[in-house]
Amino acid sequence: MHSGGDRPSAADWMDAGVGAGSGGADEGPTRIVSSGELTELAEAALLNMGAPRGTALAVAASLVDSNLVGHDSHGVRRLPIYARAVDLGRIEPGAVPEVEPTDGAVLTVRGHRAFGQVAAAAAVRALNGVVEGHGIGIAAVRDCNHIGRLGEYVESLAESGYIGIALCNVDPTVAPFGGRERRLGTNPLAWALPCGPADDGAGEGTVVMDWATSAVAEGKLAMARARGERAPEGVLMDSAGRVSTQPADFYQGGALLPFAGHKGYGLSVMIEAVGGLLSGGGISCLPGYSGDNGTVLVGIDPARFMPADAFRAQVEDFCAELRSTPAAEGADEVLVPGDVERRARAERTENGIPVPSSVWEELNALVPDRSGGHRTSDPRAGGGPVADPPAQSPR
């Protein structure tokens, strides 16, 4: 295992796995897999990496949930990348996040290089208590690995009745507006609102915005490469600074572009500074950057400003008004943030999750009983929690 100053940067391992590190497009058929089967396979792979059982199930469930809502770039395709990160010492599978004593509405969580999903979930749980007490709270997560789909965490806050905001800076893959070399991460931003009756389990529940400040998320580009598809116009350039539609050009020294030109660039600059500096991970293009997901979460209780039921009802009315807008030429309907994911969840829960053959093969290679191979770590050896680990607090 590496430690401290000799720990590899994210760039050393992010290209492992499907699409980014493999030879090219899938040639085999796409498999349709139930969420239950995919979760079992992901959990087995994580156990084989050395994760305690509770941690393995929590991370597997988070990844498969990303697949369920249609964000395959942040789903189980990440597992081969995580396995390489474990081998390189970037992820400590049995680590337990630590919640530091709060300073009013300010909260810090130390991930201790656990799986990022575990650290971010610990921050959300702690932040709920802070917001309940203060009406607002902000949490920064230090020593935090890849946390998966950012929207998962703000959606959790919204389900508790709070406005949730999340951002993080990541390793450089994006050129600044007007430039041709990587200086910024994809630097995602997520935002969620509680919506509709709080006790209506069949309702919308939340309005969720979640996207990268790059014109395309790197994981989506990797999936396009794995499927043998071209990238959309205007999302990447090759190493010479020429706009390209070939995903391979990015992995051969090119760069992603910010969305909406200078506007996405400006937003990414702010996320880079806030996420990187408040989390302690640093600015990704400057010396000393840790390679972490510089994660910052904010929760706001709208009940401190107006009755909670009135807030939820007006958000619901607002969404209904937007959806009732007559469709423009070439469009079928107007949607609000979160609609696409809700529909994907319903469809994939019923019909299964499409998994490219290359992803399926790499997942099975992580589980000895399926591939005939083996890894050196034994999830049943040594200590460590066997249930979803609570965040430790020195208080």
Side-chain angles (χ1 to χ4, degrees), residues 262-324:
H262 67 284
K263 296 180 180 180
Y265 164 55
L267 183 57
S268 183
V269 167
M270 298 302 177
I271 293 172
E272 183 75 44
V274 173
L277 296 179
L278 296 192
S279 71
I283 303 294
S284 65
C285 64
L286 294 182
Y289 170 59
S290 66
D292 295 343
N293 270 202
T295 303
V296 174
L297 301 161
V298 179
I300 303 168
D301 185 0
R304 300 296 183 106
F305 301 89
M306 62 185 295
D309 289 346
F311 180 89
R312 300 178 73 109
Q314 290 197 47
V315 172
E316 185 177 39
D317 291 344
F318 179 33
C319 292
E321 184 67 17
L322 291 172
R323 293 189 185 99
S324 71

Side-chain angles (χ1 to χ4, degrees), residues 129-154:
V130 171
V131 177
E132 182 180 10
H134 294 275
I136 190 170
I138 180 168
V141 188
R142 293 178 176 266
D143 301 322
C144 184
N145 283 302
H146 184 262
I147 66 173
R149 182 174 68 95
L150 204 60
E152 172 184 339
Y153 308 103
V154 294

Side-chain angles (χ1 to χ4, degrees), residues 92-316:
E92 298 290 344
V96 178
E98 176 187 353
V99 180
E100 296 188 343
T102 57
D103 179 13
V106 178
L107 176 70
T108 299
V109 174
R110 291 193 177 274
H112 294 309
R113 308 233 56 84
F115 286 100
Q117 290 86 347
V118 177
V124 169
R125 288 193 298 269
L127 188 58
N128 268 293
V130 171
V131 177
E132 182 180 10
H134 294 275
I136 190 170
I138 180 168
V141 188
R142 293 178 176 266
D143 301 322
C144 184
N145 283 302
H146 184 262
I147 66 173
R149 182 174 68 95
L150 204 60
E152 172 184 339
Y153 308 103
V154 294
E155 190 170 11
S156 179
L157 288 166
E159 288 170 352
S160 296
Y162 304 138
I163 298 167
I165 304 170
L167 55 87
C168 69
N169 77 319
V170 296
D171 48 286
T173 54
V174 182
F177 182 68
R180 73 179 194 186
E181 294 182 352
R182 304 179 184 189
R183 293 292 186 274
L184 297 162
T186 54
N187 295 358
L189 171 69
W191 200 317
L193 306 174
C195 177
D199 58 354
D200 181 9
E204 296 168 4
T206 59
V207 178
V208 184
M209 180 214 85
D210 177 12
W211 58 62
T213 51
S214 56
V216 65
E218 180 277 326
K220 294 185 185 298
L221 196 65
M223 293 299 291
R225 185 187 186 200
R227 293 190 294 261
E229 299 172 354
R230 287 180 175 269
E233 295 277 354
V235 304
L236 72 111
M237 62 176 67
D238 64 18
S239 59
R242 298 179 295 247
V243 175
S244 171
T245 60
Q246 296 293 339
D249 284 338
F250 168 75
Y251 298 104
Q252 294 168 2
L256 303 178
L257 297 171
F259 83 85
H262 67 284
K263 296 180 180 180
Y265 164 55
L267 183 57
S268 183
V269 167
M270 298 302 177
I271 293 172
E272 183 75 44
V274 173
L277 296 179
L278 296 192
S279 71
I283 303 294
S284 65
C285 64
L286 294 182
Y289 170 59
S290 66
D292 295 343
N293 270 202
T295 303
V296 174
L297 301 161
V298 179
I300 303 168
D301 185 0
R304 300 296 183 106
F305 301 89
M306 62 185 295
D309 289 346
F311 180 89
R312 300 178 73 109
Q314 290 197 47
V315 172
E316 185 177 39

Side-chain angles (χ1 to χ4, degrees), residues 55-116:
T55 295
L57 180 56
V59 176
S62 174
L63 293 172
V64 173
D65 192 67
S66 292
N67 289 110
L68 274 174
V69 298
H71 290 261
D72 297 319
S73 59
H74 288 64
V76 295
R77 70 166 290 271
R78 293 282 169 174
L79 285 170
I81 305 175
Y82 291 177
R84 177 163 169 76
V86 169
D87 287 343
L88 291 173
R90 282 201 56 85
I91 293 177
E92 298 290 344
V96 178
E98 176 187 353
V99 180
E100 296 188 343
T102 57
D103 179 13
V106 178
L107 176 70
T108 299
V109 174
R110 291 193 177 274
H112 294 309
R113 308 233 56 84
F115 286 100

